[in-house]
Amino acid sequence: MTTTRASSGARPHPGGLTSLAGRPVARIGYGAMQLEHGADEPALAVLRRAVELGVDHIDTAEFYGAGRVNTHIRAALHPYPEHLVLAGKVGATSDPGGQYGLRPAQKPAELRSELEANLRTLGAERLDVVNIYPMCRTPGIPADQRVDFDDQLAELIALRDAGLLGGIGLSHVDADQLRHALPTGVVCVQNAYSLVDRSSEPVLDLCREHGIAWVPYFPLGSGFPELPKVADQRAVREVATRLGATPSQVGLAWVLTRGPRTLLIPGTRSIDHLEENLAAGDVVLDEEALEVLAALEG
């Protein structure tokens, strides 16, 4: 299979520029998970509009909608623009009977199989980044899925050496796991992190120390209804009103202040919401706003 990438001229960079796996990217990208649901044409329109507005980092996974999301990305954007960075995930696979429609797929052969499935549905020969969620410490995981972390890293290194991926990323890891994996050349970490959940600060500190990209998920609070949301916080709403922004924009702008290697991948099925998210890169939080937001319990 031959994959070509279309060239492009000057383009905007929402949130400014940083790098991921040695590639220049805008600091605000797009997380494609929400495209699991809804009609096809709106999904394609959101993806195309995102790239028009400067998004050049799309985060996806084969297990999002059992390949449906990757199929949308391919239909909307293939042949991929030369500047577009595609990041995928391995460590789980689709299972309609499993929790959240997934089951663990942690064995080295399963990691390879999931990567190959991503490549097939995306119509790509290589993913720029592949993130793994190592579940060796996850409560309730089946015994045969408690795979040694070093074995998983060795498989990802082999896949990188084979040219099937550009950089290795980690997800759902603590500082000890990240420190252990540093010799593999980790390019990014994806943990939950927001104004209302700062439990991963030690991991963020380690990323800063080693120049690793920080790509938090749930930047506006957990997607689970019982957990706090950034936009519901009174302090956030007051700052937003004073600055003429939305509460969500304030929450995203705050995450961007956490360091120059911080990237955002907010997801949405709405073009209006997409444009609102990307405009968060233009929101400037003054000292008063930063002091107010720092006082929130995270």
Side-chain angles (χ1 to χ4, degrees):
M1 181 194 313
T2 300
T3 300
T4 59
R5 292 209 174 200
S7 61
S8 62
R11 60 187 186 277
H13 303 112
L17 271 174
T18 186
S19 65
L20 177 61
R23 301 278 304 278
V25 291
R27 294 184 67 202
I28 305 180
Y30 180 74
M33 184 174 66
Q34 289 196 33
L35 300 183
E36 287 182 323
H37 310 291
D40 293 350
E41 284 306 316
L44 303 187
V46 166
L47 287 162
R48 290 170 180 147
R49 183 61 175 153
V51 172
E52 286 174 2
L53 293 174
V55 166
D56 49 16
H57 168 209
I58 294 178
D59 183 84
T60 186
E62 173 67 15
F63 52 78
Y64 291 167
R68 185 175 187 222
V69 171
N70 282 352
T71 300
H72 285 332
I73 292 170
R74 181 175 185 172
L77 302 176
H78 193 278
Y80 300 115
E82 190 176 77
H83 60 272
L84 185 65
V85 170
L86 291 174
K89 295 185 183 69
V90 295
T93 193
S94 299
D95 179 5
Q99 188 179 27
Y100 312 121
L102 302 173
R103 65 171 175 80
Q106 294 279 295
K107 300 175 184 178
E110 292 173 316
L111 302 182
R112 179 179 289 268
S113 177
E114 278 298 299
L115 173 55
E116 291 171 345
N118 274 281
L119 295 174
R120 282 195 302 272
T121 51
L122 287 167
E125 294 177 339
R126 175 182 183 270
L127 286 183
D128 299 292
V129 178
V130 171
N131 295 287
I132 179 175
Y133 171 13
M135 298 183 185
C136 50
R137 302 181 185 178
T138 302
I141 188 172
D144 70 330
Q145 288 290 320
R146 292 191 177 278
V147 179
D148 186 84
F149 192 23
D150 284 333
D151 291 344
Q152 295 175 319
L153 293 174
E155 181 66 18
L156 292 175
I157 291 169
L159 292 168
R160 185 180 62 192
D161 291 345
L164 299 181
L165 66 93
I168 297 169
L170 304 178
S171 184
H172 298 72
V173 293
D174 59 28
D176 287 341
Q177 288 173 306
L178 173 55
R179 194 173 290 109
H180 182 83
L182 286 174
T184 68
V186 176
V187 300
C188 65
V189 173
Q190 293 187 346
N191 278 15
Y193 184 76
S194 70
L195 268 167
V196 295
D197 179 3
R198 305 182 210 179
S199 57
S200 282
E201 286 280 359
V203 184
L204 172 54
D205 288 341
L206 197 56
C207 286
R208 290 193 189 107
E209 179 184 346
H210 292 275
I212 296 169
W214 179 242
V215 192
Y217 63 89
F218 291 160
L220 294 174
S222 173
F224 298 102
E226 68 275 12
L227 296 176
K229 309 291 186 291
V230 170
D232 293 340
Q233 307 304 306
R234 179 177 177 180
V236 173
R237 301 184 75 84
E238 289 175 349
V239 168
T241 297
R242 184 172 65 80
L243 297 181
T246 68
S248 293
Q249 287 175 328
V250 168
L252 295 175
W254 179 85
V255 175
L256 288 176
T257 69
R258 308 313 288 160
R261 299 298 307 281
T262 297
L263 292 87
L264 292 172
I265 47 170
T268 179
R269 295 188 296 273
S270 158
I271 287 180
D272 288 345
H273 193 196
L274 168 73
E275 293 176 351
E276 176 187 334
N277 289 340
L278 296 180
D282 298 323
V283 174
V284 177
L285 300 178
D286 56 25
E287 289 302 319
E288 179 183 347
L290 290 171
E291 288 178 9
V292 169
L293 298 174
L296 280 173
E297 291 291 331

